[in-house]
């Protein structure tokens, strides 16, 4: 029902409002600034480098020749569009859903979920903690991404709690059909695994649902475009979707049906939910996708390639570690791997306790103590996680060639 969630929207009337707009530190302001807190977050994300790099990160299919196959940034834009439609209809705060949407995948590594899996294996082995993109997203917006302030100093993004919470709480791999926000204000550092808590806001819940709506149909569309599905599988898919002609088998139709369904079936009492019919459809499409797309043998070669690339970059940088001679060791490696080492040293200068920071406009948090081996390992993982697919391949090629 239209505007049925208006009374629980993120706004000054909401008892959670002060918590929602809280930042880790005071953000500079301009006298003529006309933007709301969430609009400021939206533009801060829009102008940061991690958002720009999403256009060169794998969604499902690696390095497609076709410009019409989805990359990570297109997925993010789909989520923004879907969540905006749902939130606007229900009477929720679209400024908040937009800010969460464009930042929700900012913590993704190169090479999509397969790259994430490889980094998690490394992190578990050397750091005793898993790597997952939702938590890494908050780490990046809190500690890594920098913007110049009005004085030209580079500082962290310093986003509101509601947006940061939406990032870490967005996991779209959900099967529950009644999504409501949690009541308690938690320290986001307390998250230990994906989907551990519901989002703090209804808007965060909308983005979580929209993430799911956005990819199930788009991945099907790409698979059809790339001829991954044979005639038998296409007929099976038509049966799942209940259609009789291939012309209607497209992502916009799937998205429209699911948006309409969730808007018509959700209420404050029930939560955000689909009809039983549409939930069953979503689960059938997901099952079809996992069996016929995400596990397709055509993806095996690229998945092996991702593992080799990430492990080789990590191991090359790891061998330079020394609690006393680290920078000297890196300098010695630079003659063999100039781009790799230059880029990594620049990363360390920005985020670690090196003396060079005293002579720059860096006013951001210090993230790593490079005398500590675990901090150094974390720096390598973060460095790789921030890469685009293309940059990771370039670095790997530099490492292996003579």
């Amino acid at each position: 029902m239209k505007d049925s969630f208006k009374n629980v929207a993120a706004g000054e009337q909401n008892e959670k409002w002060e918590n929602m707009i809280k930042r880790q530190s005071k953000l500079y302001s301009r006298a003529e600034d006309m933007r709301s807190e969430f609009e400021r977050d939206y533009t801060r994300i829009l102008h940061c480098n991690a958002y720009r790099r999403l256009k060169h990160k794998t969604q499902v299919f690696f390095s497609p020749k076709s410009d019409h196959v989805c990359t990570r940034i297109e997925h993010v834009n789909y989520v923004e569009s879907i969540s905006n439609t749902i939130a606007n209809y229900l009477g929720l705060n679209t400024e908040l859903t937009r800010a969460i949407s464009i930042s929700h995948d900012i913590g993704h590594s190169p090479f999509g979920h397969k790259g994430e899996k490889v980094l998690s294996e490394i992190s578990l082995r050397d750091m005793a903690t898993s790597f997952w993109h939702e938590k890494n997203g908050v780490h990046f917006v809190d500690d890594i991404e920098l913007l110049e302030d009005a004085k030209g100093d580079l500082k962290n993004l310093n986003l509101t709690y509601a947006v940061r919470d939406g990032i870490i709480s967005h996991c779209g791999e959900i099967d529950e059909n009644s999504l409501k926000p949690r009541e308690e204000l938690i320290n986001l550092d307390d998250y230990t695994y994906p989907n551990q808590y519901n989002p703090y806001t209804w808007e965060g819940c909308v983005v979580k649902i929209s993430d799911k709506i956005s990819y199930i149909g788009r991945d099907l569309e790409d698979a059809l475009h790339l001829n991954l599905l044979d005639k038998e599988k296409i007929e099976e898919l038509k049966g799942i979707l209940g259609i009789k002609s291939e012309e209607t088998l497209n992502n916009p139709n799937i998205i429209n049906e699911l948006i309409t369904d969730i808007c018509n079936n959700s209420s404050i009492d029930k939560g955000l939910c689909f009809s039983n019919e549409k939930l069953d459809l979503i689960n059938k499409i997901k099952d079809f996708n996992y069996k016929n797309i995400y596990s397709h043998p055509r993806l095996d070669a690229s998945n092996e390639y991702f593992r080799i690339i990430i492990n080789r970059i990590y191991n090359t940088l790891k061998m330079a570690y020394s609690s006393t001679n680290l920078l000297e060791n890196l300098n010695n490696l630079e003659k063999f791997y100039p781009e790799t080492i230059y880029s990594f040293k620049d990363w360390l200068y920005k985020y670690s306790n090196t003396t060079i920071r005293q002579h720059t406009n860096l006013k951001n948090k210090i993230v790593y103590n490079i005398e500590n081996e675990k901090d150094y390992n974390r720096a390598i993982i973060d460095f790789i996680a921030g890469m685009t697919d293309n940059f990771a391949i370039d670095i790997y090629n530099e490492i292996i060639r003579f």
Side-chain angles (χ1 to χ4, degrees), residues 127-145:
M127 307 279 295
T129 183
S130 61
F131 174 97
W132 38 289
H133 76 271
E134 295 92 343
K135 188 158 191 174
N136 192 57
V138 170
H139 171 50
F140 262 59
V141 299
D142 283 357
D143 305 323
I144 302 299
E145 286 306 300

Side-chain angles (χ1 to χ4, degrees), residues 75-198:
H75 164 72
V76 164
N77 291 338
Y78 270 115
V79 174
E80 181 184 354
S81 172
I82 294 165
S83 65
N84 185 76
T85 302
I86 295 171
N88 184 59
Y89 182 84
L90 296 178
L92 293 169
N93 189 322
T94 57
E95 293 173 0
L96 177 53
T97 56
R98 291 180 72 215
I100 297 172
S101 294
I102 69 163
S103 59
H104 83 278
D105 269 357
I106 215 164
H108 254 295
S109 61
F111 312 126
H113 286 285
K114 294 301 181 181
E116 179 179 13
K117 182 179 179 181
V118 176
L119 280 180
S120 188
E121 290 169 355
I122 293 170
S123 185
L124 281 168
R125 184 192 68 208
D126 289 357
M127 307 279 295
T129 183
S130 61
F131 174 97
W132 38 289
H133 76 271
E134 295 92 343
K135 188 158 191 174
N136 192 57
V138 170
H139 171 50
F140 262 59
V141 299
D142 283 357
D143 305 323
I144 302 299
E145 286 306 300
L146 308 178
L147 286 178
E148 281 190 346
D149 65 12
K151 297 179 180 178
D153 291 331
L154 285 167
K155 294 183 178 179
N156 300 108
L157 295 187
N158 191 18
L159 304 181
T160 59
Y161 180 86
V163 173
R164 295 169 59 242
D165 171 81
I167 294 170
I168 200 169
S169 304
H170 82 261
C171 179
E173 295 299 317
I174 54 174
D175 296 312
E176 66 265 27
N177 193 31
S178 177
L179 187 58
K180 296 181 179 181
R182 68 176 192 276
E183 291 301 320
E184 65 273 19
L185 180 75
I186 63 172
N187 185 335
L188 300 182
D189 290 337
D190 292 342
Y191 259 93
T192 57
Y193 57 88
N195 207 27
Q196 184 176 359
Y197 301 103
N198 282 353

Side-chain angles (χ1 to χ4, degrees), residues 24-25 44 139-149 152-158 346-354 356-358 360-368:
Q24 293 179 303
S25 60
R44 291 179 75 74
H139 171 50
F140 262 59
V141 299
D142 283 357
D143 305 323
I144 302 299
E145 286 306 300
L146 308 178
L147 286 178
E148 281 190 346
D149 65 12
D153 291 331
L154 285 167
K155 294 183 178 179
N156 300 108
L157 295 187
N158 191 18
D346 183 61
W347 187 273
L348 294 180
Y349 291 150
K350 285 180 181 176
Y351 307 115
S352 66
N353 55 335
T354 57
I356 196 169
R357 290 176 58 92
Q358 300 170 9
T360 70
N361 61 339
L362 290 168
K363 307 297 180 186
N364 57 309
K365 299 175 188 175
I366 292 176
V367 185
Y368 320 115

Side-chain angles (χ1 to χ4, degrees), residues 359-390:
H359 310 291
T360 70
N361 61 339
L362 290 168
K363 307 297 180 186
N364 57 309
K365 299 175 188 175
I366 292 176
V367 185
Y368 320 115
N369 173 7
I370 57 175
E371 295 174 1
N372 180 289
E373 187 171 7
K374 281 195 173 182
D375 273 16
Y376 180 73
N377 293 341
R378 178 62 183 273
I380 303 173
I381 290 170
D382 288 350
F383 178 58
I384 295 172
M387 293 180 179
T388 63
D389 297 1
N390 296 339

Side-chain angles (χ1 to χ4, degrees), residues 107-362:
H108 254 295
S109 61
F111 312 126
H113 286 285
K114 294 301 181 181
E116 179 179 13
K117 182 179 179 181
V118 176
L119 280 180
S120 188
E121 290 169 355
I122 293 170
S123 185
L124 281 168
R125 184 192 68 208
D126 289 357
M127 307 279 295
T129 183
S130 61
F131 174 97
W132 38 289
H133 76 271
E134 295 92 343
K135 188 158 191 174
N136 192 57
V138 170
H139 171 50
F140 262 59
V141 299
D142 283 357
D143 305 323
I144 302 299
E145 286 306 300
L146 308 178
L147 286 178
E148 281 190 346
D149 65 12
K151 297 179 180 178
D153 291 331
L154 285 167
K155 294 183 178 179
N156 300 108
L157 295 187
N158 191 18
L159 304 181
T160 59
Y161 180 86
V163 173
R164 295 169 59 242
D165 171 81
I167 294 170
I168 200 169
S169 304
H170 82 261
C171 179
E173 295 299 317
I174 54 174
D175 296 312
E176 66 265 27
N177 193 31
S178 177
L179 187 58
K180 296 181 179 181
R182 68 176 192 276
E183 291 301 320
E184 65 273 19
L185 180 75
I186 63 172
N187 185 335
L188 300 182
D189 290 337
D190 292 342
Y191 259 93
T192 57
Y193 57 88
N195 207 27
Q196 184 176 359
Y197 301 103
N198 282 353
Y200 188 60
T201 64
W202 282 103
E203 288 79 4
C205 292
V206 167
V207 174
K208 188 180 175 85
I209 291 286
S210 300
D211 187 31
K212 189 171 189 173
I213 293 174
S214 70
Y215 72 77
I216 58 171
R218 189 65 178 90
D219 296 348
L220 280 173
E221 195 172 77
D222 283 347
L224 289 166
H225 179 75
L226 295 170
N227 296 314
L228 255 64
L229 303 178
D230 58 27
K231 187 174 181 180
E232 181 181 336
K233 293 300 178 186
I234 291 174
E235 291 303 314
E236 179 185 345
L237 181 58
K238 287 181 184 179
I240 292 171
L241 296 175
I243 58 178
K244 297 180 180 180
S245 63
E246 191 170 340
E247 287 71 30
T248 59
L249 202 165
N250 60 54
N251 192 37
N253 284 347
I254 294 172
I255 288 175
N256 181 67
E257 284 190 27
L258 296 180
I259 288 176
T260 302
D261 187 81
I262 201 162
C263 286
N264 289 337
N265 285 279
S266 298
S267 69
I268 294 173
D269 290 336
K270 290 194 303 180
L272 296 176
C273 54
F274 296 100
S275 65
N276 290 332
E277 177 190 359
K278 294 306 180 190
L279 181 64
D280 182 59
L281 174 64
I282 288 170
N283 289 332
K284 285 180 178 178
I285 296 174
K286 275 183 63 180
D287 184 62
F288 180 91
N289 286 3
Y290 273 98
K291 287 179 180 177
N292 301 294
I293 299 176
Y294 311 139
S295 300
H296 196 285
R298 183 71 175 78
L299 276 63
D300 291 346
S302 59
N303 291 340
E304 291 174 10
Y305 186 43
F306 305 156
R307 182 174 298 279
I308 292 169
I309 290 172
I310 291 174
N311 274 290
R312 177 48 55 197
I313 296 172
Y314 180 82
N315 292 334
T316 298
L317 294 172
K318 183 177 170 61
M319 70 181 181
Y321 176 73
S322 167
S323 60
T324 56
N325 299 314
L326 173 60
L327 293 180
E328 182 181 344
N329 291 348
L330 288 172
N331 289 336
N332 289 335
L333 284 175
E334 194 164 7
K335 62 184 177 183
F336 299 115
Y337 318 122
E339 183 178 10
T340 304
I341 302 304
Y342 175 83
S343 300
F344 184 58
K345 285 199 304 184
D346 183 61
W347 187 273
L348 294 180
Y349 291 150
K350 285 180 181 176
Y351 307 115
S352 66
N353 55 335
T354 57
T355 56
I356 196 169
R357 290 176 58 92
Q358 300 170 9
H359 310 291
T360 70
N361 61 339
L362 290 168

